Amino acid sequence: MPRRRIGFWYRFAAVLCKPPLLVLIKRDWRGMEHIPAEGGFITAVNHNSHVDPLAYGHFQYNTGRVPRFLAKSSLFRSGFVGAAMRGTGQIPVYRETTDALSAFRAAIGAVERGECVAFYPEGTITRDPDQWPMTAKTGAARVALETKCPVIPVAQWGANELLPPYARKLHVLPRKTSQVLAGPPVDLSPFYGREMTPELLKEATEVIMAAITRLLEEIRGEKAPDTPYDPRLERIEQRQRTAAQTRQLEPGAEQEQEQEEEQGT
């Protein structure tokens, strides 16, 4: 299927965004040859900065195959940003609503029309203390198995040095380098034709994330942890620690502690 034209809104966004990106960030881009020239496909990218969509979007734009990102629905509602999101064909995600599956259907439709859909499988900026990819959601694997489209793993590093995870202030100097490395398609053929159970989707997702992590190891020249960081386990362990601390309080100790705090204020 032929590629979709870039269109006015994407070109307009590039005119606005590329000049500051060229000033702020040097580029070390590799693997563009793995981006399919024709037909629908998925890119699966690690996420470690709020600047990621711009830095990675610049790389993808220069391949001639512009990405359709999944983004929270509130960005589409009004104003210039909403118009740009709609005009560039981004895909709204309606979390915890009756429309929650619409993003999945829209992603499948975009791939079937011959477009690129870019996934951040982790769903949010990584919470791994060393910024390695963490455990991921199964949306990218679900779309890939439904459409049997190529899945291109992509690792990026450098935008997180310009704007660290969950930070609000840019670290402009010294000038940072955006490193983007795209790899060959992930082989998901062993999962084709099988029942799409949660276990199957989890296994396929782990294969995708392993490919991304290997690319990031190449960029960073370091070895990633053997087990990806899992924020759900961290929350469970935190609740268990809190419960254990509460149980250690003697009867009436909590009330006495509150009284002492009130007297000290």
Side-chain angles (χ1 to χ4, degrees), residues 6-224:
I6 291 177
F8 165 78
W9 275 104
Y10 238 122
R11 293 189 186 281
F12 183 58
V15 168
L16 293 179
C17 296
K18 286 179 72 172
L21 288 172
L22 291 172
V23 171
L24 292 172
I25 308 176
K26 296 181 285 186
R27 294 165 306 288
D28 179 8
W29 293 346
R30 291 176 287 156
M32 283 187 175
E33 68 275 10
H34 296 302
I35 302 298
E38 303 290 344
F41 65 100
I42 287 171
T43 56
V45 194
N46 67 302
H47 196 6
N48 53 17
S49 172
H50 288 301
V51 181
D52 285 347
L54 295 177
Y56 168 67
H58 190 189
F59 166 87
Q60 184 79 30
Y61 182 89
N62 278 30
T63 70
R65 302 300 310 275
V66 294
R68 312 295 169 184
F69 289 100
L70 280 74
K72 59 184 179 181
S73 59
S74 60
L75 295 174
F76 293 76
R77 289 174 185 164
S78 61
F80 175 80
V81 171
M85 295 294 285
R86 295 189 300 271
T88 53
Q90 309 311 314
I91 300 172
V93 177
Y94 301 90
R95 294 177 178 173
E96 299 179 355
T97 72
T98 55
D99 293 327
L101 290 177
S102 63
F104 170 66
R105 292 191 291 266
I108 289 177
V111 169
E112 291 177 340
R113 290 192 302 272
E115 300 181 28
C116 166
V117 177
F119 277 88
Y120 290 116
E122 296 157 279
T124 186
I125 293 174
T126 181
R127 296 186 181 276
D128 180 271
D130 295 317
Q131 300 181 50
W132 291 104
M134 61 181 181
T135 56
K137 301 180 184 302
T138 60
R142 184 183 294 271
V143 173
L145 296 181
E146 184 74 25
T147 61
K148 296 184 174 59
C149 70
V151 178
I152 309 301
V154 181
Q156 61 176 359
W157 187 261
N160 55 306
E161 296 177 339
L162 176 66
L163 184 65
Y166 302 103
R168 296 183 178 180
K169 184 178 179 181
L170 293 175
H171 296 183
V172 176
L173 297 175
R175 191 175 177 216
K176 308 302 186 289
T177 299
S178 170
Q179 299 182 75
V180 182
L181 176 59
V186 179
D187 182 14
L188 296 180
S189 60
F191 302 100
Y192 293 165
R194 296 166 57 184
E195 182 182 359
M196 207 176 296
T197 63
E199 293 74 20
L200 180 77
L201 291 171
K202 182 176 182 292
E203 187 177 350
T205 299
E206 289 173 349
V207 171
I208 294 171
M209 294 307 297
I212 297 171
T213 302
R214 286 194 296 270
L215 294 172
L216 188 57
E217 287 178 333
E218 183 175 342
I219 288 176
R220 295 177 59 174
E222 303 175 53
K223 184 74 174 64

Side-chain angles (χ1 to χ4, degrees), residues 207-259:
V207 171
I208 294 171
M209 294 307 297
I212 297 171
T213 302
R214 286 194 296 270
L215 294 172
L216 188 57
E217 287 178 333
E218 183 175 342
I219 288 176
R220 295 177 59 174
E222 303 175 53
K223 184 74 174 64
D226 293 333
T227 303
Y229 177 83
D230 189 337
R232 292 172 300 178
L233 293 180
E234 179 65 25
R235 289 193 294 269
I236 292 172
E237 292 173 358
Q238 179 60 46
R239 286 196 294 267
Q240 291 173 342
R241 288 193 293 268
T242 301
Q245 291 171 358
T246 301
R247 287 194 299 268
Q248 288 175 358
L249 291 174
E250 296 178 359
E254 186 173 358
Q255 184 177 359
E256 292 176 4
Q257 184 179 19
E258 291 176 353
Q259 293 173 349

